[in-house]
Amino acid sequence: FHQLWKISERDKRPEGYNLKDEDGRVRDPSTITALRVPVLRPMDLMVEATPRRVFSNAHTYHINSISVNSDYETYMSTDDLRINLWNLEITNRSFNIVDIKPANMEELTEVITAAEFHPNHCNTFVYSSSKGSLRLCDMRAAALCDNHSKFFEEPEDPNNRSFFSEIISSISDVKFSHSGRYLMTRDYLTVKVWDLNMESKPLETYQVHDYLRSKMCSLYENDCIFDKFECVWNGTDSVLMTGSYNNFFRMFDRNTKRDVTLEASRENSKPRAILKPRKVCMGGKRRKDEISVDSLDFSKKILHTAWHPSENIIAVAATNNLYIFQDKVN
């Protein structure tokens, strides 16, 4: 099941109830002799989350993504084999719009890894697969969107073929640009930008941590190769951000083609401190400010990132810590 939550801030608390005491216990009616007017007293700011609706009995498998439609009336939830469309007001039933479950589960060759609605066209959505492909679907074409309208996939380079090729080509996240013109995908080693008008190959490819190519065997043995990293656009679709290991996260500027590696850690995240770019070296001579690929901590990973829709404020989740960074304010 999944839940719709309301998040609110509270800086006042009511005091002077008639039917209960200040601890919330119900008072004996025989002891109430006077009528009081409750008052609001200032208190420390609190952020509260309260569940408003519970949508249940929807999926057999783990839900990997939820996306609200631009009509603000519907949303979709996605698991490995199915995508369901929901009305925000109706909690007990949904409509199945994609079903890739084969009659015989032994014939299953790929699973759905993520899905998202187009930011402007409420009939269009995209979903990604573990085989590294994207399917753009139009809900106007048919009730069950098993036939895609566009199919995006980059042909594999035979020279790079290895035992790990299929695993690392699985797409862990897909995001429409705010303009609706582009798609961004994240696989294990790269971030790719696709133009909706060009299905044959990505428009741009960015290497997130190419230095890990030599570490595939150990990453496979410690299960890190199955980690699912998310990716995000900035508000103007000019910069991409995604996570890596050792609490590193990466930013790629699409205009200047410059990229930077930053670290989210308690040691160097004092308030108002400026983050220093980090560099990873492959071996041989290591400079003073570089970190060796052999000393990276693979248990510290940034899988989840978010970017404010209009300002340069980002949120980065590193294990059990949430970091919020802001562009330098003069």
Side-chain angles (χ1 to χ4, degrees):
F1 69 91
H2 29 92
Q3 294 175 300
L4 177 71
W5 293 77
K6 180 183 180 182
I7 298 175
S8 54
E9 293 181 343
R10 193 155 65 97
D11 60 0
K12 293 183 174 63
R13 69 168 183 272
E15 281 183 8
Y17 289 104
N18 287 287
L19 300 177
K20 55 185 180 180
D21 60 25
E22 301 310 330
D23 295 327
R25 290 187 296 263
V26 177
R27 293 166 65 190
D28 181 354
S30 62
T31 63
I32 301 170
T33 56
L35 185 66
R36 297 193 290 178
V37 178
V39 292
L40 290 171
R41 300 244 187 259
M43 59 174 269
D44 290 339
L45 181 69
M46 261 178 67
V47 177
E48 293 182 319
T50 45
R52 300 299 297 267
R53 294 190 190 97
V54 177
F55 301 85
S56 54
N57 304 327
H59 291 274
T60 313
Y61 307 96
H62 289 299
I63 296 168
N64 58 44
S65 52
I66 286 177
S67 177
V68 178
N69 201 347
S70 59
D71 61 12
Y72 294 117
E73 288 180 14
T74 56
Y75 75 94
M76 65 180 174
S77 57
T78 308
D79 68 22
D80 283 359
L81 302 178
R82 293 192 177 106
I83 301 177
N84 291 332
L85 182 69
W86 299 78
N87 187 301
L88 283 162
E89 301 299 322
I90 300 168
T91 59
N92 60 350
R93 64 181 185 275
S94 60
F95 187 78
N96 181 232
I97 52 174
V98 172
D99 186 349
I100 65 164
K101 186 177 181 180
N104 179 3
M105 283 295 275
E106 288 177 9
E107 294 170 9
L108 185 69
T109 56
E110 66 180 328
V111 294
I112 302 168
T113 54
E116 192 182 49
F117 269 119
H118 191 282
N120 319 116
H121 305 314
C122 60
N123 54 286
T124 306
F125 67 93
V126 68
Y127 70 90
S128 57
S129 90
S130 56
K131 279 196 164 177
S133 59
L134 295 169
R135 289 170 175 85
L136 191 76
C137 301
D138 188 341
M139 291 194 292
R140 295 173 302 188
L144 195 62
C145 302
D146 284 353
N147 294 323
H148 50 266
S149 51
K150 288 192 176 185
F151 181 80
F152 303 83
E153 188 175 51
E154 185 173 28
E156 190 191 13
D157 181 353
N159 298 324
N160 289 339
R161 179 89 192 139
S162 77
F163 171 76
F164 307 107
S165 297
E166 210 164 290
I167 304 170
I168 64 173
S169 67
S170 175
I171 294 172
S172 56
D173 197 18
V174 58
K175 292 272 174 36
F176 276 103
S177 62
H178 295 85
S179 67
R181 169 77 188 270
Y182 304 104
L183 285 166
M184 170 170 43
T185 59
R186 171 71 206 262
D187 56 42
Y188 192 67
L189 291 175
T190 67
V191 168
K192 292 171 181 166
V193 174
W194 303 76
D195 189 321
L196 255 61
N197 300 321
M198 188 169 76
E199 298 169 59
S200 56
K201 62 177 184 181
L203 196 64
E204 302 154 21
T205 300
Y206 301 93
Q207 300 295 335
V208 177
H209 36 216
D210 205 41
Y211 45 79
L212 295 184
R213 283 190 192 274
S214 61
K215 300 279 173 202
M216 285 300 159
C217 285
S218 54
L219 290 163
Y220 180 77
E221 285 165 7
N222 65 15
D223 277 350
C224 284
I225 201 168
F226 301 107
D227 285 334
K228 293 180 171 19
F229 292 95
E230 293 176 1
C231 53
V232 287
W233 302 85
N234 73 335
T236 58
D237 299 334
S238 60
V239 182
L240 320 173
M241 177 171 64
T242 191
S244 181
Y245 294 104
N246 209 69
N247 280 356
F248 288 169
F249 58 99
R250 305 269 283 131
M251 288 183 175
F252 303 95
D253 190 309
R254 297 178 63 206
N255 299 325
T256 64
K257 299 302 175 194
R258 288 202 305 231
D259 63 86
V260 66
T261 303
L262 300 169
E263 183 181 1
S265 69
R266 288 189 156 188
E267 294 74 57
N268 45 6
S269 294
K270 294 183 178 71
R272 312 204 80 74
I274 294 171
L275 292 179
K276 291 193 179 80
R278 304 301 307 265
K279 279 198 168 58
V280 177
C281 70
M282 293 286 290
K285 288 195 93 173
R286 183 171 68 88
R287 289 192 189 152
K288 190 169 67 122
D289 58 342
E290 290 181 336
I291 182 167
S292 164
V293 68
D294 295 316
S295 56
L296 295 174
D297 187 341
F298 292 108
S299 67
K300 293 179 178 175
K301 57 193 86 170
I302 291 175
L303 303 177
H304 310 288
T305 55
W307 203 309
H308 190 285
S310 56
E311 296 179 41
N312 267 340
I313 299 172
I314 60 168
V316 173
T319 323
N320 56 352
N321 295 307
L322 179 68
Y323 297 90
I324 295 179
F325 299 110
Q326 186 172 10
D327 205 13
K328 193 168 76 170
V329 182
N330 295 330

